[in-house]
Amino acid sequence: MKHLLNTLFVTSENAYLTLDGENVVVNREKEEVGRFPLHNLFGIISFSYAGASPALMGACAERNVSLSFCTPRGRFLARTTGLSNGNVLLRRTQYRVADDPLGSALIARNMILGKLYNARWSVERTRRDYKLRIDEEKLANASGILKNMLGEVSQERALDRLRGLEGVGSAAYFRVFDEMILRDKEHFFFRERSRRPPLDPVNAMLSFAYSLLANDCASALESVGLDAYVGFMHRDRPGRVSLALDLMEELRPCLADRFVLTMINNKVIQADDFDYAENGAVYLTDDARKKFLKSWQERKQDAITHPFLNEKMPWGLVPYMQAILLARYLRGDLDEYPPFLWK
């Protein structure tokens, strides 16, 4: 259990929530393990299959406390709403901002700023930890490009220009991504980003990690009442969770990319863990996907100190905290959206 920004996160997969007077009670195996005053809560997000009592669901609806249910792995299931639903106002604000080029740019700018900042520190971490095994000059040059771009991005207010800067920064970062792969370079190499389909093992792993991260971000957004399909940087497209793609941008380098590098460099994934199709597509085998998913879930349990809140939490809650911060910005509680700046 974690209580952040007046949102109660219930992460035990067998926890059952009940109501006792004006308190939310967390029970595990019929024993009380936590008690929280309902009037202090803005929302509850449960990652348990056990669920909640009808009395608690009704009390949350009456008091306009958001109660959301996700699977233990983070897939969004459902959210309770009452007769007076504040999410309507939140979503109407989201849609208005998405239709406003400047409003969209101000949010997209901070997300891109977070992405480039985190990409730079991913490069810097490799420089620090493996100085004798890399082309230090190449990585230093890429880090310098990313650092210089941060000031330019922070002053930009045009959405198309921001997308261009994001593309330039991503290109500089991916030009040295191969340098951060430290073993078995015959099989694990990176030349360029290839998608639909991925054409080498590293791209296959990146695509799979990005799909998992996008799912986590979509669940986080839906759980706080935002529409995951209406974005600010990624525009509307049928079937695309555009806002989830926006939210995951700043988390790609520090969560998904670093995870893939760890899986390769620590020899968790081997060269024979891939299937090769006749059209050149490369995919993880069924057994490799199981290993990948198991390690992904373990990674999400690792602790991180949130840079804006200065509180410890598991990596798996970071998308939810960013979704809450985005909702607070849209409601006017924050002056700007604070990106996740990892170091």
Side-chain angles (χ1 to χ4, degrees):
M1 289 174 294
K2 193 74 174 175
H3 191 190
L4 293 164
L5 288 178
N6 291 332
T7 298
L8 175 64
F9 292 92
V10 181
T11 55
S12 300
E13 63 180 59
N14 61 343
Y16 183 68
L17 306 179
T18 60
L19 182 70
D20 182 15
E22 291 297 312
N23 296 294
V24 179
V25 180
V26 183
N27 303 278
R28 191 164 56 231
E29 296 179 353
K30 298 184 179 181
E31 290 189 11
E32 180 179 323
V33 295
R35 176 179 290 260
F36 305 88
L38 184 60
H39 67 270
N40 286 343
L41 296 177
F42 171 79
I44 303 170
I45 301 177
S46 174
F47 296 86
S48 170
Y49 281 125
S53 70
L56 176 61
M57 295 172 66
C60 288
E62 288 176 6
R63 293 160 178 78
N64 203 29
V65 175
S66 171
L67 175 58
S68 299
F69 299 96
C70 301
T71 68
R73 290 192 171 185
R75 182 170 61 85
F76 176 75
L77 294 174
R79 181 177 60 251
T80 64
T81 58
L83 295 176
S84 175
N85 183 9
N87 293 329
V88 171
L89 300 179
L90 175 61
R91 291 197 179 204
R92 283 176 64 86
T93 301
Q94 177 189 354
Y95 300 149
R96 283 195 294 267
V97 174
D99 287 336
D100 175 27
L102 178 59
S104 293
L106 294 178
I107 298 174
R109 179 176 68 187
N110 283 11
M111 291 175 168
I112 293 169
L113 193 71
K115 178 179 183 176
L116 298 183
Y117 180 97
N118 293 335
R120 177 178 179 245
W121 281 109
S122 180
V123 172
E124 285 295 316
R125 178 162 290 198
T126 299
R127 288 182 66 196
R128 181 195 68 190
D129 294 344
Y130 304 103
K131 191 169 186 177
L132 300 179
R133 300 177 62 183
I134 60 171
D135 187 330
E136 209 273 338
E137 184 178 351
K138 272 188 181 180
L139 268 69
N141 182 59
S143 178
I145 292 172
L146 291 165
K147 182 180 180 180
N148 291 335
M149 291 187 67
L150 295 177
E152 191 173 355
V153 169
S154 66
Q155 299 300 316
E156 187 55 61
R157 296 163 67 90
L159 199 53
D160 287 343
R161 175 66 178 156
L162 283 167
R163 291 194 188 99
L165 292 171
E166 185 272 333
V168 172
S170 293
Y173 167 69
F174 277 124
R175 276 198 297 271
V176 297
F177 195 80
D178 188 64
E179 293 293 327
M180 296 190 279
I181 300 171
L182 304 175
R183 77 162 189 93
D184 197 2
K185 297 300 285 282
E186 179 182 354
H187 296 100
F188 295 104
F189 54 84
F190 184 87
R191 301 292 179 261
E192 62 181 359
R193 185 77 179 101
S194 60
R195 297 164 286 188
R196 295 184 294 273
L199 299 176
D200 58 65
V202 176
N203 272 293
M205 296 174 71
L206 287 173
S207 291
F208 193 38
Y210 291 160
S211 68
L212 295 175
L213 182 56
N215 176 73
D216 289 345
C217 288
S219 293
L221 292 163
E222 294 289 345
S223 70
V224 302
L226 289 165
D227 189 337
Y229 289 85
V230 178
F232 304 111
M233 180 170 63
H234 293 84
R235 308 314 287 175
D236 296 352
R237 183 184 298 174
R240 183 170 76 174
V241 284
S242 296
L243 187 57
L245 298 182
D246 287 355
L247 190 69
M248 70 182 279
E249 288 294 343
E250 62 208 68
L251 300 178
R252 285 177 188 255
C254 55
L255 183 50
D257 295 354
R258 294 302 303 187
F259 175 76
V260 167
L261 290 170
T262 297
M263 295 290 280
I264 297 171
N265 294 336
N266 289 355
K267 302 182 180 180
V268 179
I269 295 294
Q270 306 288 336
D272 59 358
D273 281 326
F274 299 89
D275 288 327
Y276 295 81
E278 291 184 1
N279 66 349
V282 180
Y283 301 104
L284 288 158
T285 65
D286 289 344
D287 288 341
R289 277 197 298 274
K290 292 176 183 177
K291 284 194 294 184
F292 198 97
L293 286 167
K294 180 176 182 294
S295 297
W296 177 259
Q297 292 304 121
E298 291 171 352
R299 173 61 169 156
K300 286 164 60 176
Q301 296 304 314
D302 290 345
I304 182 76
T305 298
H306 194 284
F308 181 75
L309 303 173
N310 198 31
E311 291 196 46
K312 278 193 173 182
M313 66 184 67
W315 266 109
L317 289 189
V318 172
Y320 292 85
M321 294 313 306
Q322 293 307 117
I324 290 172
L325 292 171
L326 177 58
R328 291 202 164 195
Y329 167 71
L330 291 171
R331 287 191 174 100
D333 298 333
L334 295 172
D335 292 335
E336 62 179 348
Y337 166 71
F340 182 84
L341 302 178
W342 172 73
K343 190 173 180 181

